[in-house]
Amino acid sequence: MNDNTTMQSTLSAELAALLRERFAAAFPDCPEAASAGRVVPSARPGFGDYQCSDAMQLSRALRLPPRAIAEKVASALPLPDALEKIEVAGPGYLNLTLRPAALAARAAAVADDEERGGVPQSGDGRTVVVDYSSPNVAKSMHIGHIRSTVIGAALANVFRALGYRVIADNHIGDWGTQFGIIIKGYREFADMEALARDPVPELERIYKESNARAREDAAWMEACRLETVKLQQGDPENRALWQDFIRMSRHTFDEIYDRLGIVFDTTRGESWYQPQLAGVVDRLVAAGFAHESRGAVVVDVRDLDPALAEQSRKAVEAARAKGDEESAAREDGKWICIVRKEDGGYNYNTTDFATMETRVREYGPAKIVIVTDDRQIPHFQQLFLVSRRLGIVNPETELVHVAFGTITDENGHPFSTRKGGMPKLKELLDEAASRALAIVREKNPDLPQAEAAALAERIGIGAVKYSDMAMDPITTIRFSWDAVLALQGNSGPYLQYAHARIRSLLAKYAATFPGEAAVDAAPSVSDPLERALARRIVAYPDAVAAVAAKCKPSILAEYLYGLAQDYSAFYQKLPVLKCEDAATRAGRARLCACVAAVLRRGLGLLGIAAPDRM
RNA sequence: GCGUCUGUAGCUCAAUUGGACAGAGCGUCAGCCUCCGGAGCUGAAGGUUGUGGGUUCGAUCCCCGCCAGACGCACCA
């Protein structure tokens, strides 16, 4: 183990490796011992810095009391430089305590690693495709889109930080039957002025109205269908309209993305794959995976897995036994994956197969990560299964569907379209900025107008983003203005505030003690509050790695919140500028600087700004 | 009917994925500004982790059965 370290791995990984060696050496005849040594940060300070509970697990295999096993591992020599002691505690825990100097050096190394962000380069140049945001052309982005956007962008950042080559792809909804409906409506009742002024809401109005008419007027519906067919056959006029709609919509999306600081490496909408769709279906049929059914071409997922077939057969029996023919009929729908519709058109299944295939062929990715709401879980399960069986995706490519919970209204019900649907994303961001501005003005009355507004924007957006990432993606969010825009407690601004306070303190430090070079000092870790901070900093690389492994930015949000909390406790109790002893003062200033660096970096991965003042 | 997800403090969520005494925020109550930024800090109250079994040295976490809610189930994505 190396104290001042090149950051090739995380501290916990190095300690685990050390213990693994010792377990293996102590019990060479036991295969289970060879894989022991898992290490996690200790539950409480009294239990050292890291703990290992594997001795208890091995007790059965080794037929020895857990404490005896732990003792043997703990007493092995020599103790590496970084460790002060290894103790056996409780029923058989191994508690590892770091030497303060080693902890301080390690914390500084993590914070100072500007190039790699203190994070091991486990990606090693492999490729990850991250598919997120994916709004629909001719529809406004609303609060339902923000989770995919924000979570996906954070995951892309994290994979990049870990040394992966990332392809961030915005798979926008720019193809499908809705365009016939819009084109028909556009021809009949478009308000050209409104379209010029603010195109997307007008397109949305056109779609809604045309769609409503199609529902009650069969002739209208047929006309819409014909427009779709014309578009898909390449009719120049319809294609020009369609491209116009895309251009207008993308312009509106880009305004939001600019504001959110979201970037993509590529934007390939569904239409991009359109030329490949016929070939996909042909190959599925040729391979025997797809067949004709009720006029459509379908893949029956049950054909790929006898267990599913059996499960399905039982479900039908159970329904029939109760005379529930409706449920029995529904059963098919769960397993039928339509790849060509009765009318010869293709749908999202076909497009998604083509997308999968293209991504594998073009990028050779180690992972494909797709971020959508949880209603699409069955769709992606089927897509992944069939893609693998057909060989569209090779076994080396990991497929991940990051499913997040839908956003409901304040009462836990879906937002009803009749009552205006989900709040628009732009409205949300405006409201966030405006609430933040009120506070900025109050706290910084002397700040020039433009600066205050810019700052409020960063704070408001930070609040919105944080609230969407602070919890596990699968959690359903009950929308509430007060929760999304919270500026106190577990919130984005709380983290930003902790960071701004440190920056301010460090500026004052530099001005007050120009001779002291805190940069050269080791972070102070003598007080438990300081030590807690250093331990937290050292765990940063583990947090980032965990985000990638679980595809949950919430892990990083949680980590940063803990770091900020620890800092606030430290700040309250231990003086820095007012500390009499120059050496301690420098050590504390250095520790503060390390915290600020990690906060800024972590917030950066979440896509949240870290202003120097607020 | 079948499937997926979820159930943890009054409310919103954590719990390093099987480890030591289940922790935060909001709200409530009591404190902290002659003190580096109070968007802050300290403390109190608040829990049979939906429920009943099982596995384990050890279960919020894994398995089985119930209960409740959300979502999905043939040409939207």
Side-chain angles (χ1 to χ4, degrees):
Chain A
M1 262 186 20
N2 192 347
D3 288 1
N4 47 359
T5 197
T6 49
M7 298 301 306
Q8 294 299 330
S9 62
T10 72
L11 180 55
S12 62
E14 287 168 31
L15 292 172
L18 169 80
L19 286 189
R20 194 161 50 243
E21 268 175 43
R22 289 189 170 203
F23 270 109
F27 306 101
D29 301 329
C30 175
E32 287 92 341
S35 58
R38 207 172 65 96
V39 151
V40 296
S42 297
R44 278 201 304 281
F47 297 147
D49 295 307
Y50 287 86
Q51 60 172 317
C52 171
S53 54
D54 288 349
M56 290 174 291
Q57 272 175 353
L58 288 172
S59 175
R60 177 176 293 247
L62 290 168
R63 304 210 294 185
L64 286 169
R67 284 194 66 105
I69 298 167
E71 292 289 359
K72 190 156 182 189
V73 171
S75 60
L77 290 172
L79 203 60
D81 291 345
L83 286 180
E84 187 174 291
K85 55 187 175 184
I86 300 179
E87 291 170 308
V88 178
Y93 289 97
L94 283 164
N95 290 337
L96 317 192
T97 303
L98 295 162
R99 276 182 37 232
L103 176 60
R106 191 70 188 215
V110 169
D112 292 348
D113 182 10
E114 286 297 335
E115 196 179 328
R116 295 179 163 179
V119 168
Q121 301 299 291
S122 52
D124 201 24
R126 287 174 298 159
T127 300
V128 182
V129 177
V130 188
D131 174 333
Y132 58 95
S133 197
S134 311
N136 290 317
V137 165
K139 287 186 189 162
S140 298
M141 287 183 84
H142 51 70
I143 57 169
H145 292 108
I146 197 170
R147 285 193 98 179
S148 171
T149 306
V150 160
I151 290 171
L155 291 176
N157 290 339
V158 165
F159 281 118
R160 232 173 262 123
L162 287 164
Y164 285 91
R165 164 195 177 225
V166 171
I167 310 290
D169 187 359
N170 192 3
H171 191 70
I172 60 176
D174 62 357
W175 196 249
T177 50
Q178 72 268 31
F179 285 99
I181 296 168
I182 299 169
I183 290 171
K184 174 67 178 161
Y186 173 87
R187 293 228 160 91
E188 301 291 332
F189 47 68
D191 176 346
M192 300 312 282
E193 264 179 48
L195 209 53
R197 199 171 49 241
D198 193 3
V200 171
E202 174 60 11
L203 287 175
E204 218 169 357
R205 185 191 70 85
I206 292 170
Y207 172 78
K208 277 182 192 157
E209 214 165 303
S210 181
N211 196 39
R213 276 187 71 166
R215 262 202 280 268
E216 38 196 61
D217 181 348
W220 186 277
M221 187 189 275
E222 179 60 13
C224 292
R225 208 187 58 78
L226 287 176
E227 296 292 3
T228 304
V229 172
K230 274 170 72 181
L231 171 66
Q232 297 191 342
Q233 287 171 347
D235 173 77
E237 203 173 310
N238 277 13
R239 279 196 85 84
L241 279 177
W242 167 70
Q243 270 161 354
D244 243 18
F245 299 154
I246 292 177
R247 187 183 47 74
M248 292 186 282
S249 292
R250 286 196 53 176
H251 181 73
T252 312
F253 299 156
D254 285 343
E255 281 174 359
I256 297 269
Y257 292 142
D258 281 351
R259 209 171 162 188
L260 290 173
I262 301 288
V263 291
F264 297 95
D265 299 297
T266 181
T267 299
R268 284 181 179 172
E270 293 166 352
S271 67
W272 196 90
Y273 302 93
Q274 197 263 335
Q276 307 176 30
L277 301 184
V280 167
V281 175
D282 288 347
R283 279 207 308 289
L284 284 167
V285 172
F289 283 86
H291 57 86
E292 190 274 335
S293 168
R294 296 189 213 168
V297 178
V298 306
V299 176
D300 189 330
V301 181
R302 289 169 293 196
D303 296 345
L304 305 181
D305 188 339
L308 291 181
E310 175 62 13
Q311 188 184 319
S312 180
R313 199 185 54 73
K314 278 185 184 164
V316 172
E317 264 175 25
R320 291 245 162 86
K322 299 201 172 186
D324 186 353
E325 280 304 319
E326 196 186 323
S327 292
R330 267 193 195 166
E331 182 59 24
D332 271 350
K334 277 161 52 183
W335 309 108
I336 296 294
C337 176
I338 295 176
V339 292
R340 190 168 72 202
K341 299 187 290 181
E342 198 174 4
D343 67 4
Y346 304 101
N347 64 7
Y348 59 96
N349 285 315
T350 332
T351 307
D352 281 355
F353 281 123
T355 305
M356 199 72 83
E357 188 173 38
T358 302
R359 286 173 174 165
V360 168
R361 191 182 61 239
E362 214 165 299
Y363 306 123
K367 289 179 206 270
I368 299 175
V369 178
I370 301 170
V371 187
T372 80
D373 72 73
D374 58 6
R375 287 172 303 188
Q376 298 189 42
I377 288 175
H379 166 61
F380 282 105
Q381 275 177 344
Q382 294 185 0
L383 186 73
F384 291 173
L385 176 66
V386 177
S387 296
R388 286 203 189 281
R389 286 298 172 85
L390 188 59
I392 288 175
V393 177
N394 48 36
E396 305 83 67
T397 300
E398 186 186 351
L399 301 175
V400 186
H401 178 218
V402 179
F404 56 86
T406 41
I407 300 186
T408 70
D409 69 15
E410 212 127 4
N411 303 315
H413 303 301
F415 279 98
S416 92
T417 326
R418 263 184 310 109
K419 292 174 190 162
M422 291 196 172
K424 300 281 183 283
L425 197 41
K426 184 174 183 310
E427 288 167 22
L428 175 67
L429 301 182
D430 288 345
E431 178 70 17
S434 130
R435 289 195 190 196
L437 184 59
I439 310 237
V440 168
R441 283 235 177 85
E442 180 194 323
K443 308 272 178 190
N444 297 300
D446 53 328
L447 210 58
Q449 179 89 4
E451 255 181 80
L455 183 56
E457 175 82 5
R458 302 173 82 190
I459 294 168
I461 302 263
V464 170
K465 284 187 171 183
Y466 186 86
S467 77
D468 260 305
M469 284 186 282
M471 49 189 136
D472 192 301
I474 198 65
T475 310
T476 304
I477 290 186
R478 201 179 278 218
F479 181 80
S480 120
W481 288 99
D482 287 337
V484 182
L485 305 174
L487 307 176
Q488 284 117 17
N490 187 357
S491 69
Y494 175 89
L495 303 187
Q496 293 174 318
Y497 178 70
H499 173 264
R501 242 156 70 174
I502 300 174
R503 301 293 298 174
S504 159
L505 180 118
L506 290 174
K508 213 165 275 184
Y509 175 82
T512 316
F513 306 100
E516 279 182 31
V519 198
D520 299 328
S524 175
V525 291
S526 40
D527 189 279
L529 290 169
E530 297 168 333
R531 198 175 173 107
L533 273 177
R535 285 170 35 145
R536 192 76 81 161
I537 290 168
V538 159
Y540 174 74
D542 292 315
V544 176
V547 171
K550 305 289 175 192
C551 284
K552 290 180 183 183
S554 55
I555 294 170
L556 183 55
E558 181 80 12
Y559 166 86
L560 292 172
Y561 180 58
L563 178 61
Q565 273 185 313
D566 284 351
Y567 178 75
S568 295
F570 156 86
Y571 175 84
Q572 197 73 21
K573 191 112 182 275
L574 302 177
V576 181
L577 301 183
K578 304 205 165 172
C579 177
E580 301 284 332
D581 176 60
T584 306
R585 188 166 61 221
R588 285 184 182 163
R590 178 78 158 101
L591 181 62
C592 289
C594 291
V595 174
V598 172
L599 275 176
R600 182 177 45 72
R601 204 173 290 154
L603 284 169
L605 292 183
L606 294 179
I608 297 174
D612 281 342
R613 60 177 296 191
M614 55 189 286

